[in-house]
Structure formats: structure tokens, C-alpha cells
Amino acid sequence: MSDTHVVVLAAGKGTRMKSLEPKVVHRALGVPLIEHVLRAADPLRPQTTVVILGHRAERVQEILGKRLGLLFALQEPQLGTAHALLQAEPHLRGCRGTVVLLYGDVPLLRPATLRTLVETHHARGALATVLTAHVDRPFGYGRIVREDGRIVAIVEEKDATPEQRAITEINSGIYAFELEPLFGALREIAPANAQGEYYLPDLVRIYRSRGLTVETVVLDDAREILGVNSRKELAELTAILKSNRADELMAAGVTIEDPASAWIGPDVTIGTDTILHPNVYLEGRTRIGRGCEVHSGVRIVDSAIDDGVVINNFCVIVESHVSSGARVGPFAHIRPQSDVGEQAHVGNFVELKKTALGPGSKANHLSYLGDATIGANVNVGAGTITCNYDGEKKNPTVIEDGAFIGSDSQLIAPVRVGRGAYVAAGSSITEDVPPGALAVARGKQVNKDGWVAKKKK
Ligand code: UD1
Ligand code: CA
């Protein structure tokens, strides 16, 4: 197969978004629109990928910062789609092969569609191939004009005759072009139209007049090439992405009780026989194992959840790890760099931050555990707090295996509770507790017999 190059147009402002941000950095299902497009093109293994920038170019570049090997070209001012593609020429000079042209705002585009486009383009020996679709409401799109079944021109809405406006086959704006003679022909395009722009679709007429083969590929599902122009469209396309993602996961053996309310990002993986109750949010690079149960109102971001974990209602888990068989929540907050061990329990109103809770350990009620390393089979009583912050820096707490922390204790860090030690309820622990010891650090109780009766006299 010959070399493939990708050019993505992303210079436009997206005025109708009414945003300070450029349109293509807005996110659909947590991923910037332009990243969706680049992912669709990744399987083509392009030799060169050029993104055409204009409005707030530096911001788009910043959002794409993690992608290696991208080339950028600035289009200033923005004089139309043909002019935009011409800006890629310096990066493609001396290259051979096929250019696939994409827009940065079409997040539903599928890799398989681009593969079909390129394969058809090559199989038919075309110099240009246009991706088209049949739609009920073609308003605003370029119309595909055919003679004897063959494409002869694309006419923009504003330049179309009433008969042409009635055509329901539209230009997706996505094409495959042979590099030779693309850029020479682009320079022949003049802004002789209602909008005074350099129209890329004019290439069809130019190629036809030279007898160069132009082909079309007609999409089955026209939704794939829908672009985002407003916040409403962003929500509509996000809903489609969301529903597609839920369908894929259900097909792979995940139970999703209410797919309409399941918000699952494209980079999330979920094992078979896991059950998602309504209204869960699984974001970023989250991985969930097999046979888990995630109850309503849970949000998990960039975290790893092993097999057989139960996460009860209304928990937030961020950048953390929960080991197999653990139970979390309801109403638990697991903050970054925490690690919940196998079969461990984190109960209601318990907050973990940068804390490891060892296997079989339990912190079931109303606790703050921060910067703590807690061993196996530890019982952390209700209301226990690690006082990790001294006003200047964070200090560690260590609780060794099998220790028992009585309810409503404060562990004033840095401090260590030794293996199997007990801390009496209501203690404020400032010094290390030796293994096997009992630490009592609270005022001694005094009972005054008959005190109430005396007071009433
Ligand atoms: C374009 C096509 C139309 C097609 C439609 C599909 C032209 C003249 N028309 O119309 O046939 O049906 O797409 O959506 O090509 N852009 C730049 N620089 C520019 C102009 C545009 O980067 O100078 C980018 C925009 O950011 C956008 C894309 O190109 O991502 C399309 O531009 P837009 O002006 O929206 O074209 P349409 O009028 O939609
Ligand atoms: Ca558009």
C-alpha cells in the first residue's frame, strides 16, 4: 500500500459555540473533538499528519501536546477550505501517496469508514474520492451533482440552483486525494462564489475538466460525519458516543442497567459480569475488573479496580487502586495515590488520601486517613483521624498489622502504632505505640456520686 498522509482542518473559530476556547478542544465523552478525529485516523498509520490551525492555534497545540509526530501549519487569515489545505503543502513537499482530508470537529467518524474510503480510492485508481451521504435535511451542506451516476460537481448551498438544493446527497467534507496533482490544482481555485472563499469542492470540477478520475464513497450511516457547531450539537453527539460505548461494553459481557445514564469514557475497560447500576461515571484511563458491582452515583477517574469489588452508592475514586474483593462506600472519597487492599472495607464518610489500607483492614465509618500506611487486618474505629498536617508540611502515619484503633482517636503524625497494638477510644496519640501495647491518651473519668441531687437542692 502506498504512503498515507492525513490533514486535519481546525482553523475555524466555532463562533456558535460562544466560547473562549476554540471549538475543536471542547470535549465529547471526556476527549477533545480533534483527538476523536485523530484517533479515527490512527489505524491508517499515516506517514505525516498535519493539523491546520488558525484561531487560538497555541491552545489547540497545547491540548494535542501529548501526541507525538504531529505537524502544524498556520492558516491566517482563513480564506476557505481549499486555502486551508494549501497550508499543508510545505510539510508534504517531496512526499508521495494519498492525502486524507478531515475536519477537526467530527467526533463520530469511524476508522472503518476511512479504511473503506482509502481502499476504494486506490481500487478505482481515483485521483480524488469524496465521502458522501444521503440525508433527509441537506440544508447547509454542499450538494453532490451527478450525471449518468457519476459525480461532476459539488455545489454549495449558497451557490445552488433550486433544483440543486433539492439534491439530498451531500458532501461530508472528507476526501482522499493523490498528492500528484493536488497542490497544483488547488492553486487554480478562485474565490468566485457567493461567500468569496476558496472552495475545496471546486476541485471536482477542475479534475473533471482535465479528465482525471473522481470517485465517491457513500456512507451507510450519515450521522458519522456530523460536525459540532453549537453546544446543543456537542450534547447530541456526546449522547451518541455514550450510547455506542455502552453498546460495545454490553456486547462484551458487561451488564449496564440503564445505558442512557452510563457515562463511560472511550479509554475505560470493564471486565465481564461486572454490573453497572444507573448513573455511574467512569472516566479517564479507568480499568474495572470482572464481577464487580458499581452502584448509582459513583464517579471513578483514572483508577484501577480489581475483580469482585463492590462500590456502593455515591463514592468518588480518583487515581487510586482498589484490590479484589474490597468493599467501598456508600459515600466514600478515595483521593489520589491511595491503595485499598484485598478484602478491605472502606465505609461511609471515609476519606483516604495517599493512603494504603492493607488487606482485610477496615475503616468503616467517618474517618480521614491521609499520608498513612496501614497494614493488614487493622481495625480503624469510627471517627479516627490522622492529623497529617502540622501547618507546614504533611507527616506520615504508620499502623502495623493487626492493630486496633479505638473510635474517635486522633493519630498526630508523624506517629507509628506497632503490630497488634491497641489504641483506646478517644485517644490523642502523639508518641509511637510499641507492638502489643495499649495506649490510652485521654482524661481519666471521674464519677461524682449523688452530684445531680445535690445540685438540685
Ligand atoms: C464544507 C464544504 C461542504 C460540506 C461541508 C460538510 C466547502 C466550501 N464546503 O462546508 O461542501 O458539505 O463542509 O461539513 O468546503 N476551515 C478551516 N479554514 C478555513 C475554512 C474552514 O480550517 O479557511 C475548517 C473549519 O474549521 C471546519 C472545516 O474546515 O472544521 C469546514 O469549514 P466550514 O466553513 O464549516 O465549511 P462548511 O461551510 O461546513
Ligand atoms: Ca461545518
Side-chain angles (χ1 to χ4, degrees):
M1 201 163 137
S2 75
D3 293 338
T4 306
H5 311 276
V6 167
V7 176
V8 182
L9 303 192
K13 186 170 172 199
T15 312
R16 280 192 280 153
M17 295 298 283
K18 304 237 168 77
S19 176
L20 294 174
E21 292 276 37
K23 177 164 75 178
V24 296
V25 313
H26 282 265
R27 289 167 189 272
L29 217 51
V31 173
L33 294 175
I34 190 165
E35 176 64 26
H36 279 281
V37 174
L38 291 168
R39 287 182 183 196
D42 278 339
L44 296 175
R45 301 177 148 276
Q47 195 183 60
T48 322
T49 302
V50 186
V51 181
I52 310 295
L53 302 174
H55 176 71
R56 294 208 56 203
E58 76 302 331
R59 177 68 181 126
V60 181
Q61 258 177 292
E62 181 191 328
I63 220 86
L64 292 172
K66 285 201 199 95
R67 273 203 164 249
L68 302 174
L70 285 185
L71 301 171
F72 296 98
L74 201 62
Q75 186 201 16
E76 196 62 68
Q78 286 121 42
L79 302 177
T81 44
H83 177 253
L85 177 53
L86 257 180
Q87 311 311 310
E89 189 182 19
H91 289 303
L92 294 170
R93 206 167 274 142
C95 294
R96 299 156 60 87
T98 306
V99 180
V100 175
L101 182 79
L102 305 171
Y103 293 169
D105 61 359
V106 289
L108 301 183
L109 189 65
R110 290 180 314 127
T113 299
L114 294 181
R115 201 184 322 122
T116 306
L117 175 69
V118 172
E119 280 172 7
T120 310
H121 177 75
H122 289 154
R124 304 219 183 127
L127 294 170
T129 301
V130 185
L131 185 66
T132 77
H134 292 281
V135 295
D136 295 336
R137 288 180 299 147
F139 183 77
Y141 288 99
R143 309 295 206 284
I144 305 295
V145 181
R146 292 180 183 268
E147 277 171 18
D148 300 326
R150 298 201 62 83
I151 183 169
V152 292
I154 300 174
V155 183
E156 293 303 302
E157 173 88 26
K158 290 189 175 126
D159 306 299
T161 62
E163 298 81 66
Q164 288 169 335
R165 280 195 192 140
I167 297 171
T168 56
E169 187 182 6
I170 55 126
N171 172 24
S172 71
I174 291 165
Y175 319 79
F177 297 112
E178 284 314 285
L179 263 172
E180 193 49 50
L182 177 63
F183 289 112
L186 278 178
R187 270 187 281 273
E188 286 180 30
I189 292 174
N193 52 59
Q195 301 190 93
E197 285 183 9
Y198 293 85
Y199 280 174
L200 181 54
D202 283 355
L203 267 190
V204 174
R205 239 181 309 234
I206 293 171
Y207 278 23
R208 290 279 306 171
S209 69
R210 291 196 198 168
L212 305 175
T213 310
V214 181
E215 287 287 345
T216 55
V217 167
V218 185
L219 266 174
D220 294 329
D221 184 354
R223 296 188 309 175
E224 240 189 88
I225 47 102
L226 290 174
V228 172
N229 295 299
S230 62
R231 307 265 181 172
K232 184 167 190 285
E233 287 171 2
L234 181 64
E236 285 164 359
L237 299 200
T238 299
I240 296 172
L241 281 169
K242 207 157 74 69
S243 147
N244 291 349
R245 189 76 190 102
D247 288 352
E248 282 166 20
L249 288 162
M250 288 189 288
V254 177
T255 294
I256 301 181
E257 285 189 340
D258 177 24
S261 71
W263 198 107
I264 306 167
D267 300 319
V268 172
T269 63
I270 308 180
T272 52
D273 289 325
T274 282
I275 299 169
L276 305 183
H277 292 276
N279 249 308
V280 295
Y281 299 80
L282 307 176
E283 306 175 24
R285 305 210 162 265
T286 289
R287 177 178 64 71
I288 297 186
R290 283 191 289 233
C292 294
E293 189 158 8
V294 183
H295 288 267
S296 295
V298 168
R299 175 168 180 243
I300 306 177
V301 185
D302 290 322
S303 294
I305 313 294
D306 294 346
D307 297 343
V309 169
V310 177
I311 301 175
N312 282 300
N313 304 68
F314 304 109
C315 293
V316 177
I317 302 177
V318 180
E319 291 168 37
S320 290
H321 172 226
V322 179
S323 307
S324 58
R327 301 179 68 91
V328 178
F331 302 103
H333 188 185
I334 301 187
R335 292 168 53 200
Q337 296 181 55
S338 293
D339 194 314
V340 177
E342 280 185 30
Q343 310 287 336
H345 292 185
V346 178
N348 38 222
F349 307 106
V350 172
E351 173 181 348
L352 262 51
K353 189 221 78 177
K354 219 173 173 180
T355 283
L357 184 68
S361 289
K362 291 176 181 144
N364 269 332
H365 332 269
L366 304 154
S367 272
Y368 171 63
L369 303 169
D371 302 289
T373 305
I374 301 169
N377 302 312
V378 168
N379 190 84
V380 178
T384 297
I385 288 173
T386 55
C387 307
N388 59 331
Y389 186 51
D390 58 15
E392 279 168 26
K393 60 179 191 311
K394 303 289 168 64
N395 299 295
T397 298
V398 177
I399 306 174
E400 294 180 357
D401 295 351
F404 180 99
I405 313 297
S407 297
D408 197 26
S409 294
Q410 298 99 53
L411 304 169
I412 300 170
V415 74
R416 171 183 290 264
V417 178
R419 210 181 164 84
Y422 274 57
V423 168
S427 292
S428 293
I429 301 295
T430 54
E431 314 215 341
D432 289 357
V433 181
L438 165 69
V440 187
R442 64 183 184 220
K444 211 174 158 81
Q445 183 170 335
V446 180
N447 291 339
K448 301 191 172 173
D449 288 334
W451 183 88
V452 177
K454 265 185 243 160
K455 181 177 179 258
K456 282 186 178 158
K457 256 187 214 160

